[in-house]
């Protein structure tokens, strides 16, 4: 039985290796493309400057899948490092590390923008920095809030108060529905100057906090990170059981996922057929 499982693991690792961007030589190919002046390859690997510790995804077979997602029309590189180990007659244990450093780099631009734009209240969020701290993510930024009287057309009229508030948020990710969902665990606000003190007195700081929490919750819930697999690999029926945010280098953001994939004989036949249809395998006539 054990030898059969080893064959499954080796076969699956080989199949990952034939996919574009997979296998241990993927980074070498990206470096060669960069040397040839391929700017897209350079952009895709720009944030992966530090090696990922293989102990975080170790397994009998280790593979790398270069993939990307789109967040608010911004392409984000999401490399996935995975270790595979026998887990039973028809399943392999999967330990994966999702490299989120490109997301970390681009998220300030993606998240910066208006939180609320009503006729009597306008709140704008600026995200300055995102950094991993162990199993948490720390976000630093500021909000600018303006309070106005509504005119007859229900548009902002005379402004009667404005304040800038520094924001520090702490969040983390957890695995739900085969994806990493981010949530906020804490939010500290620090209004600036004498006007900031008045904002505390009149409860304006609490209004800003509520707006930040509501909008951030909407954005995070609508944009989970789902480790993508090539279409042909969907038959593996990946089941992500646990995971969360991980610091993969000092300040570098990553996500860990633990689960399993199906490697029954029927599944492997479907997988091979899918790869053949894509022209990645050629079977004898």
């Amino acid at each position: 039985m054990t030898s059969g499982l080893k064959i499954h693991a080796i076969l699956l690792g080989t199949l990952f290796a034939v996919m574009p961007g997979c296998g241990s030589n993927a980074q070498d190919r990206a470096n060669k493309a960069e040397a040839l002046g391929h700017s897209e390859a350079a952009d895709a690997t720009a944030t992966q400057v530090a090696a990922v510790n293989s102990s975080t995804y170790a397994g009998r077979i280790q593979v790398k899948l270069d993939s990307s997602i789109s967040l608010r029309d911004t392409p984000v590189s999401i490399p996935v490092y995975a270790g595979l180990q026998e887990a039973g007659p028809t399943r392999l244990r999967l330990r994966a590390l999702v490299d989120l450093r490109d997301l970390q780099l681009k998220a300030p631009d993606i998240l910066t923008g208006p939180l609320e734009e009503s006729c009597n209240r306008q709140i704008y969020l600026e995200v300055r920095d995102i950094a991993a701290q162990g199993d948490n993510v720390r976000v630093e930024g500021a909000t600018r809030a303006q309070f106005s009287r509504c005119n007859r057309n229900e548009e902002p009229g005379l402004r009667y108060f404005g304040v800038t508030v520094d924001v520090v948020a702490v969040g983390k990710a957890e695995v739900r529905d085969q994806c990493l969902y981010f949530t906020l665990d804490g939010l500290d606000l620090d209004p600036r100057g004498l006007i900031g003190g008045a904002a505390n007195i009149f409860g304006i700081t609490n209004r800003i906090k509520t707006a930040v929490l509501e909008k951030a919750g909407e954005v995070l819930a609508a944009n989970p990170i789902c480790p993508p697999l090539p279409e042909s690999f969907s038959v593996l029926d990946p089941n992500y059981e646990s995971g969360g945010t991980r610091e993969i280098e000092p300040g570098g953001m990553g996500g860990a996922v633990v689960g399993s994939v199906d490697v029954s004989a029927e599944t492997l036949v479907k997988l091979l057929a899918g790869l053949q249809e894509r022209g990645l395998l050629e079977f004898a006539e």
Side-chain angles (χ1 to χ4, degrees):
M1 180 67 69
T2 302
S3 61
L5 291 173
K6 289 181 180 178
I7 292 173
H8 281 162
I10 293 171
L11 176 59
L12 189 58
T14 302
L15 295 175
F16 268 101
V18 304
M19 297 299 293
C22 300
S24 60
N25 294 325
Q27 189 63 50
D28 292 338
R29 290 195 295 272
N31 291 339
K32 290 179 181 178
E34 182 177 7
L36 291 173
H38 292 181
S39 59
E40 291 184 3
D43 290 340
T45 60
T47 57
Q48 281 68 60
V49 293
V52 173
N53 186 350
S54 62
S55 66
T56 58
Y57 61 93
R60 184 182 297 276
I61 300 294
Q62 295 181 177
V63 297
K64 177 175 181 266
L65 173 64
D66 286 323
S67 58
S68 64
I69 61 175
S70 179
L71 292 178
R72 292 188 169 182
D73 299 323
T74 299
V76 179
S77 174
I78 305 288
V80 179
Y81 300 81
L84 299 165
Q85 191 80 22
E86 296 93 332
T90 62
R91 294 195 76 84
L92 289 178
R93 194 69 174 167
L94 169 69
R95 294 181 62 200
L97 183 70
V98 185
D99 190 341
L100 300 175
R101 285 176 287 183
D102 193 42
L103 172 64
Q104 179 182 357
L105 178 67
K106 295 175 179 177
D109 289 335
I110 295 173
L111 298 177
T112 292
L115 294 179
E116 183 176 336
E117 291 183 299
S118 62
C119 67
N120 58 0
R121 185 166 57 193
Q122 305 88 48
I123 302 177
Y124 183 87
L125 174 66
E126 177 190 3
V127 178
R128 293 194 297 259
D129 183 66
I130 298 176
Q133 292 183 333
D135 293 345
N136 295 317
V137 177
R138 178 185 172 92
V139 181
E140 296 183 6
T143 62
R144 297 195 304 274
Q146 296 184 169
F147 295 84
S148 310
R149 298 189 185 279
C150 296
N151 61 25
R152 293 181 179 178
N153 297 323
E154 295 297 316
E155 296 175 347
L158 177 65
R159 188 181 78 174
Y160 62 86
F161 191 83
V163 64
T164 298
V165 180
D166 291 315
V167 178
V168 176
V170 177
K172 63 181 180 181
E174 62 178 12
V175 172
R176 299 199 316 267
D177 301 325
Q178 310 306 301
C179 296
L180 285 170
Y181 282 84
F182 286 84
T183 57
L184 287 182
D185 285 346
L187 184 64
D188 292 329
L189 303 183
D190 184 17
R192 296 180 187 174
L194 294 175
I195 295 180
N200 284 334
I201 293 173
F202 292 106
I204 293 174
T205 303
N206 285 334
R207 295 187 199 176
I208 296 173
K209 183 174 184 178
T210 299
V212 172
L213 288 173
E214 288 180 352
K215 187 64 175 182
E218 292 174 5
V219 172
L220 294 176
N223 294 282
I225 303 299
C226 305
L229 285 175
E231 183 178 351
S232 297
F233 284 82
S234 61
V235 296
L236 295 178
D237 186 27
N239 179 27
Y240 305 136
E241 302 162 3
S242 62
T245 321
R246 297 291 184 272
E247 186 175 10
I248 57 178
E249 62 167 322
M253 191 167 71
V257 176
V258 178
S260 63
V261 295
D262 178 24
V263 288
S264 63
E266 180 182 0
T267 296
L268 292 180
V269 169
K270 292 180 180 177
L271 178 61
L272 290 170
L275 293 175
Q276 184 188 28
E277 290 177 0
R278 296 184 58 184
L280 297 172
L281 290 177
E282 182 177 353
F283 293 161
E285 295 294 338

